[in-house]
Amino acid sequence: MKPPRGKVPLPIIITTICVLFFIAVLYAERLSFLPSSSIFKFKTCPRKLNKPKSNDRKIEDVLANASWIDDRFDFDPEECNVANGKWVFNHSIKPLYSDTSCPYIDRQYSCVKNGRNDSDYLHWEWQPEDCTLPPFNPELALNKLQGKRLLFVGDSLQRNQWESFVCLVQGIIPEKKKSMKRGRVHSVFKAKEYNATIEFYWAPFLVESNTDIRIIGDPKKRIIKVDEISERAKNWTGVDILVFNTYVWWMSGLRVKALWGSFSNGQEGYEELDTPVAYNLGLRTWANWVDSTIDPNKTRVFFTTMSPAHTKSADWGHKDGVKCFNETKPVRKKNHWGSGSNKGMMSVVAKVIKKMKVPVDVINITQISEYRIDAHSSVYTETGGKMLTKEERANPLNADCIHWCLPGLPDTWNQIFLAML
């Protein structure tokens, strides 16, 4: 008997359903082999638009020029390479403070107060390629620091970052509810309402040296005690968040004088080592102290990578220039890397941190700072405790191309730091 016309036989329906079910199971099984981590390794949300099927040229033109679409994902320190990006000029962004509204800035970094008239360097915004970097939120920062101690440890560039952080948050704290106590070695800013402190400890090598307290101007007379840190580090315990750096003081020559044991013999007993070798020994001493002393359940540890110097204008193609003098715009060349950042020294940091037991979060500021030849203190600074005269400011050789204006680039360092917190 023939089945009625228009009706599909039951065996065919059952077979079709089975085939579709098998395809669905197979597809789901293939997806299960893709771990979530492998998805995030790819560049999320690629900026590529499917070509419209419609022949409407107006719609096609709009989509083709839709550069305003921001498909970057929210900042995640484990997934976003913050060093991969670009500086974008944005005149609408304003610093959260000035060197007149924040009373805690060293004159060394107070560029506007010291006579700098151009202001474009204050309006560059760092945009990572793959993610959005949230703006610095002072209230959020202070809430995260509620009942905590934050301590920056390192050299004058770390003091640059510390002063930036203090200035970024202090504006929302009433005058009577904040205080600053300056010391030659240890300085403390208190946010009383939050029971929080933001501190700085001077330790340019992290390990001890004969130039820690009384600075020796001649690098050839400096001796670094590469195996000793305890005398300084005893002041770093009981802290909730530690941020370390050390680089520029090591770069005074191709070799440094290193000492094991006591300073009691003065100049006797030291050994001259290649700078990367001595740096490695010093960082390993620091790493051993962190691993043996810090409880990662109570204290978070960060390390700020090297801040580049811009002392050779030929590095960015200005062969007739002198250092960073009169530079007013960032370098635009992608992945620019000058002679002021030593990749060998940076790899030492990476290798030492990789072997540590206590987790250390790296605040990678080097590449983003390499572009900013315009953001240094330059001639708008002081030297030897005295302001540069008008005649001295006219001399490019007097430009400080190591430290940075405040407000300025270190605010972006702290923007990244807060996002990582």
Side-chain angles (χ1 to χ4, degrees), residues 383-404:
T383 179
K386 294 182 179 180
M387 290 299 305
L388 296 183
T389 65
K390 186 176 181 180
E391 292 73 22
E392 288 172 329
R393 287 208 303 265
N395 184 353
L397 295 177
N398 290 325
D400 176 358
C401 300
I402 295 175
H403 301 97
W404 309 91

Side-chain angles (χ1 to χ4, degrees), residues 87 124 310 315-318 327 329-337 369-374:
W87 287 100
W124 290 93
H310 292 108
D315 286 348
W316 54 91
H318 290 188
E327 296 291 355
K329 293 181 180 179
V331 175
R332 306 299 288 167
K333 181 183 176 183
K334 180 77 172 174
N335 297 324
H336 166 74
W337 194 278
S369 305
E370 269 288 0
Y371 301 112
R372 295 306 304 275
I373 58 175
D374 60 316

Side-chain angles (χ1 to χ4, degrees), residues 304-319:
T304 305
T305 62
M306 58 192 178
S307 170
H310 292 108
T311 57
K312 295 181 180 178
S313 58
D315 286 348
W316 54 91
H318 290 188
K319 295 180 180 179

Side-chain angles (χ1 to χ4, degrees), residues 206-341:
L206 296 184
V207 292
E208 295 171 24
S209 75
N210 67 345
T211 186
D212 281 357
I213 310 302
R214 296 180 179 178
I215 295 176
I216 298 173
D218 185 357
K220 294 179 181 179
K221 294 181 180 179
R222 296 174 183 170
I223 303 175
I224 306 170
K225 201 173 177 182
V226 291
D227 66 339
E228 187 55 62
I229 198 172
S230 57
E231 188 63 27
R232 303 282 177 268
K234 66 184 181 183
N235 300 287
W236 310 339
T237 57
V239 176
D240 301 280
I241 304 166
L242 282 163
V243 186
F244 294 97
N245 96 313
T246 184
Y247 171 67
V248 71
W249 275 59
W250 294 86
M251 302 305 292
S252 57
L254 296 176
R255 296 173 70 81
V256 298
K257 292 178 179 178
L259 180 72
W260 285 261
S262 174
F263 277 121
S264 59
N265 295 326
Q267 296 282 336
E268 302 298 323
Y270 71 81
E271 181 180 351
E272 285 200 0
L273 300 174
D274 290 341
T275 297
V277 174
Y279 189 60
N280 180 56
L281 291 171
L283 276 184
R284 281 166 52 188
T285 298
W286 163 79
N288 290 338
W289 176 83
V290 171
D291 281 342
S292 63
T293 310
I294 297 301
D295 180 354
N297 295 315
K298 296 180 179 179
T299 303
R300 283 192 71 179
V301 182
F302 292 84
F303 193 97
T304 305
T305 62
M306 58 192 178
S307 170
H310 292 108
T311 57
K312 295 181 180 178
S313 58
D315 286 348
W316 54 91
H318 290 188
K319 295 180 180 179
D320 297 328
V322 180
K323 304 204 289 187
C324 65
F325 181 73
N326 273 352
E327 296 291 355
T328 58
K329 293 181 180 179
V331 175
R332 306 299 288 167
K333 181 183 176 183
K334 180 77 172 174
N335 297 324
H336 166 74
W337 194 278
S339 57
S341 298

Side-chain angles (χ1 to χ4, degrees), residues 63 176 206 222 303 346 405:
L63 289 172
K176 293 182 179 180
L206 296 184
R222 296 174 183 170
F303 193 97
M346 201 165 182
C405 294

